[in-house]
Each structure stands twice: as structure tokens, then as C-alpha cells.
């Protein structure tokens, strides 16, 4: 099913459970089409200044991953990738691996193509265990509502290998755009 969000206060919320409290690794994969440019958050487990963990944001053609270094983090630890393609469906993959060095802990792929990233701040080795709920279409109590469509959202509590990522992307391509 397709989730269409109009960017005006609508979002989905999944209550916090241990299954979405990632520790030192995760992979998030989602298929989305952003209708308009602007600062928007398709996914986040982040209640601004209260219970922070991670969020994914799209803004001015950039894909940004925020990784909290404390429960009250305001978002200064980021990884950026540029040149998003708006108004078309893309498969976004965000891989976090706390075992790697600071500049390689977060990687972005769009349509299974690795994007160059710029890291600012200190990306922690282990995620904060936040009681924030997972929100689809916003993050926390800060707004930045997503204006677009999503058709698939997958989360894994590990940094998927390249081989597993390729298998997953091929499956999603076949599911949504079979030959």
C-alpha cells in the first residue's frame, strides 16, 4: 500500500519497542517520492531535546542522517549526501555501523548506488537507547512533515552486507517494477 503524506501535520507513529531500539548497527531502506523540495523528515526516532536517537531528513536536494550523541541532542552530528532526484520514486538505503571510523559510520545509497557523504560532528559508536516512538513522515515534536509518497519501509538491526543489500534492492525492484 502507498502512504501519501501532504506535508501538513500528517504522519504515522509506531510505539517504541525493543525491536526498534537499534544499538551499534542498523539499515533502513525505504522507497519514497518527495513531491516538493524543502526540509522534510520521512523517518525518525527522535523527540527533539527530549529523547533523541536517529532521523533521516531531506532538504534542498540533500539526504541527511542525524545520529544523536545524547538524549537531548539538537542534531549537530550528521552525514549528508547531495543531488537527490525529486518527484520520482527512489530506493533510499541508510547504513549505520558503529564499528567503523567516524567518517564511515553512516553510508547512503540511492537506487543501490553509493553516494558520497560528508560527516559533521561526532557520529557515536553506539546509538542512544531512546524511548522516542518511530515516526513516519516527521520526527519528534519539531515538525518538518514529509510531503510525498512511500510504498515500502524496511528496518534491520544490523548493517546489511553489500550482497544482502543487492538482494534486497533487486527484490524491491522486481516487486514494484517487474521486468
Amino acid at each position: 500500500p502507498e502512504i501519501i503524506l501532504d506535508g501538513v501535520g500528517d504522519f504515522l507513529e509506531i510505539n517504541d519497542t525493543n525491536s526498534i531500539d537499534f544499538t551499534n548497527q542498523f539499515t533502513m531502506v525505504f522507497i519514497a517520492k518527495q513531491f516538493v523540495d524543502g526540509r522534510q523528515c520521512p523517518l525518525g526516532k527522535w523527540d527533539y531535546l527530549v529523547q533523541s536517537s536517529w532521523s533521516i531528513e531531506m532538504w534542498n536536494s540533500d539526504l541527511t542522517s542525524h545520529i544523536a550523541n545524547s538524549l537531548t541532542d539538537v542534531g549537530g552530528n550528521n552525514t549528508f549526501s547531495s543531488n537527490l532526484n525529486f518527484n520520482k520514486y527512489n530506493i533510499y538505503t541508510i547504513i549505520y555501523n558503529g564499528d567503523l571510523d567516524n567518517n564511515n559510520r553512516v553510508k547512503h545509497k540511492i537506487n543501490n548506488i553509493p553516494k558520497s557523504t560528508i560527516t559533521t560532528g561526532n557520529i557515536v559508536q553506539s546509538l542512544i537507547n531512546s524511548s522516542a516512538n518511530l515516526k513516519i513522515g516527521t520526527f519528534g515534536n519539531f515538525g518538518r512533515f514529509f510531503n510525498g509518497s512511500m510504498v515500502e519501509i524496511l528496518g534491520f538491526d544490523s548493517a546489511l552486507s553489500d550482497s544482502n543489500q543487492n538482494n534486497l534492492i533487486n527484490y524491491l525492484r522486481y516487486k514494484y517494477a517487474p521486468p
Side-chain angles (χ1 to χ4, degrees), residues 96-146:
Y96 165 78
N97 187 342
D99 295 335
L100 301 177
D101 66 83
N102 188 64
N103 290 328
N104 291 301
R105 286 192 184 126
V106 178
K107 293 294 180 191
H108 297 160
K109 291 184 177 182
I110 300 176
N111 299 322
N112 211 28
I113 299 169
K115 301 298 283 183
S116 61
T117 56
I118 299 170
T119 299
T120 61
N122 179 39
I123 305 298
V124 294
Q125 290 179 299
S126 185
L127 291 172
I128 304 299
N129 186 1
S130 167
S131 65
N133 294 334
L134 175 63
K135 293 184 180 157
I136 300 167
T138 190
F139 77 106
N141 50 12
F142 204 65
R144 298 182 187 160
F145 296 101
F146 185 68

Side-chain angles (χ1 to χ4, degrees), residues 11-178:
F11 62 94
L12 300 172
E13 188 166 4
I14 300 167
N15 290 333
D16 180 47
T17 68
N18 289 339
S19 66
I20 59 174
D21 282 335
F22 305 129
T23 54
N24 74 326
Q25 295 184 355
F26 74 80
T27 303
M28 294 300 297
V29 179
F30 61 101
I31 300 175
K33 174 169 65 172
Q34 187 178 6
F35 296 151
V36 296
D37 198 1
R39 197 166 191 178
Q40 303 172 40
C41 185
L43 296 169
K45 191 171 183 325
W46 191 295
D47 282 342
Y48 192 73
L49 291 175
V50 181
Q51 288 288 320
S52 305
S53 186
W54 60 270
S55 70
I56 300 164
E57 192 171 24
M58 297 170 165
W59 184 23
N60 296 334
S61 299
D62 290 339
L63 178 66
T64 305
S65 299
H66 302 283
I67 305 294
N69 65 8
S70 72
L71 289 177
T72 58
D73 192 349
V74 295
N77 307 297
N78 311 300
T79 301
F80 301 91
S81 294
S82 296
N83 302 319
L84 296 182
N85 293 317
F86 291 104
N87 214 18
K88 69 175 245 178
Y89 281 103
N90 291 293
I91 302 172
Y92 297 95
T93 305
I94 291 81
I95 306 108
Y96 165 78
N97 187 342
D99 295 335
L100 301 177
D101 66 83
N102 188 64
N103 290 328
N104 291 301
R105 286 192 184 126
V106 178
K107 293 294 180 191
H108 297 160
K109 291 184 177 182
I110 300 176
N111 299 322
N112 211 28
I113 299 169
K115 301 298 283 183
S116 61
T117 56
I118 299 170
T119 299
T120 61
N122 179 39
I123 305 298
V124 294
Q125 290 179 299
S126 185
L127 291 172
I128 304 299
N129 186 1
S130 167
S131 65
N133 294 334
L134 175 63
K135 293 184 180 157
I136 300 167
T138 190
F139 77 106
N141 50 12
F142 204 65
R144 298 182 187 160
F145 296 101
F146 185 68
N147 185 347
S149 172
M150 290 189 220
V151 294
E152 188 93 32
I153 303 166
L154 302 164
F156 301 88
D157 63 356
S158 64
L160 293 182
S161 68
D162 286 341
S163 174
N164 284 338
Q165 290 174 46
N166 290 337
N167 289 338
L168 178 61
I169 298 306
N170 287 335
Y171 161 75
L172 292 172
R173 283 182 177 149
Y174 185 79
K175 180 177 180 179
Y176 291 101

